[in-house]
Amino acid sequence: MQSQGATVVLGSGGARGLAHIGALSALDELGVPIKAIVGCSIGAKIGAFYAAGITPSQMQNQARQTTWWQQAKLFWPDFSKSGITAGKRIEKFLYKHLGHRHIETFGIQFVCVATDLGTGEQVVLNTGHAVSAVRASISMPFMLAPVIIDGRMLVDGAISNPLPVSIARTHCQGPIIAIQAHGTEFVQPHARDTSANRNMIQVYRRTGCLMQWNIAQAQLRENPPDLLIAPYAPGIDTFDFHKADISLAVGYDAVMTRAPEIIKLVAHKRHPAITGHSR
């Protein structure tokens, strides 16, 4: 595994989370070594792909080729007992890219987070079957049926830790760069949405976004990263994966805008000031 470099935290965000691919592309272009990925929900999926050796360029090409209909088929209702879909098509998609690999075989350290539906606790997944771990982390309540791992019923990690910097602090080393793709519209000037014409699904998605934002802000006050980057993708809703170009671009641009800070951070952590006595 990569022994030196940064730990990158990729948060939740649905289609906005495609910004993570652009961010990883920019980090690679800047020559930033990545030694660990900690992901939640869409960040877990993209992080697992990256840790497994799939390049940002490959992910970008796939994202750009995804049509609305292709995305809809992944979530096509089969009305399972505990979700609109049991998630079999999504699992097939994950197997296509990750196969039957275990997390321990990845080239860089990978950790993702899910939520125990019974206790409400966050569950850290850093060993074992990669597809099962990612599938648990992306299990959006109501939409995707939960996943059972070690006797625990697991749902979306965004419910307990949408931007898992705290997990990066306890499980990984190196400077932490966090990419927050969800809720960034709440801090943009003139971005307040006061529409009274929302349908039921739009209200559900907006409520979920607000919940994730508030949880993340509280947790960031306790566990701030060394650098927080928040790409803003205007007009992108949770399931707008067919609008990939917008999210990819804002993720790339958000990292490049902070390039001097990133390079300084990684260089400082790689070569810290020497103190004390040499041995």
Side-chain angles (χ1 to χ4, degrees):
M1 282 193 179
Q2 176 84 26
S3 60
Q4 301 224 352
T7 291
V8 177
V9 179
L10 305 177
S12 59
R16 294 183 184 94
L18 294 177
H20 296 323
I21 302 174
L24 290 171
S25 178
L27 290 172
D28 277 2
E29 189 174 317
L30 291 171
V32 175
I34 297 175
K35 68 176 300 180
I37 297 274
V38 180
C40 173
S41 201
I42 182 71
K45 190 205 85 169
I46 292 169
F49 284 13
Y50 185 88
I54 301 172
T55 67
S57 177
Q58 290 171 317
M59 287 188 270
Q60 285 186 57
N61 289 338
Q62 182 182 71
R64 289 190 173 111
Q65 293 168 9
T66 299
T67 65
W68 179 90
W69 177 239
Q70 288 172 323
Q71 186 61 35
K73 286 194 293 186
L74 287 177
F75 291 92
W76 198 255
D78 53 30
F79 299 106
S80 71
K81 182 179 179 181
S82 51
I84 286 180
T85 174
K88 296 302 181 184
R89 291 182 181 87
I90 290 175
E91 288 174 15
K92 183 178 180 181
F93 170 81
L94 294 174
Y95 274 114
K96 179 181 177 181
H97 294 84
L98 298 174
H100 292 271
R101 293 180 64 179
H102 280 221
I103 292 171
E104 300 92 320
T105 70
F106 289 172
I108 63 176
Q109 183 182 2
F110 173 72
V111 186
C112 69
V113 60
T115 305
D116 187 318
L117 189 61
T119 66
E121 298 172 320
Q122 69 176 16
V123 177
V124 175
L125 302 167
N126 58 358
T127 60
H129 194 234
V131 166
S132 295
V134 173
R135 173 65 178 80
S137 188
I138 66 173
S139 295
M140 183 187 302
F142 178 70
M143 290 299 301
L144 280 174
V147 174
I148 306 295
I149 297 180
D150 295 332
R152 308 178 81 172
M153 182 175 285
L154 304 182
V155 294
D156 203 317
I159 295 171
S160 58
N161 201 343
L163 189 66
V165 176
S166 58
I167 292 174
R169 287 282 179 215
T170 56
H171 288 78
C172 307
Q173 297 180 335
I176 297 174
I177 300 170
I179 313 296
Q180 184 174 21
H182 63 272
T184 51
E185 69 270 25
F186 299 131
V187 294
Q188 296 297 321
H190 314 299
R192 185 181 179 188
D193 189 337
T194 58
S195 174
N197 298 315
R198 292 183 180 275
N199 61 38
M200 179 178 65
I201 298 300
Q202 290 171 326
V203 170
Y204 167 76
R205 292 198 296 246
R206 181 73 171 183
T207 301
C209 192
L210 282 165
M211 176 191 72
Q212 293 173 47
W213 171 256
N214 287 325
I215 293 171
Q217 294 310 107
Q219 292 176 335
L220 285 172
R221 286 191 287 270
E222 296 292 325
N223 288 286
D226 294 293
L227 187 64
L228 176 64
I229 299 174
Y232 173 50
I236 300 297
D237 209 342
T238 304
F239 294 104
D240 285 343
F241 290 94
H242 57 291
K243 300 178 181 178
D245 277 332
I246 297 173
S247 294
L248 293 171
V250 298
Y252 178 88
D253 291 343
V255 167
M256 282 304 189
T257 299
R258 308 287 293 277
E261 297 170 78
I262 294 169
I263 293 169
K264 181 179 179 181
L265 173 67
V266 175
H268 173 72
K269 293 289 184 177
R270 190 185 302 172
H271 304 291
I274 299 173
T275 59
H277 301 283
S278 60
R279 292 187 293 176

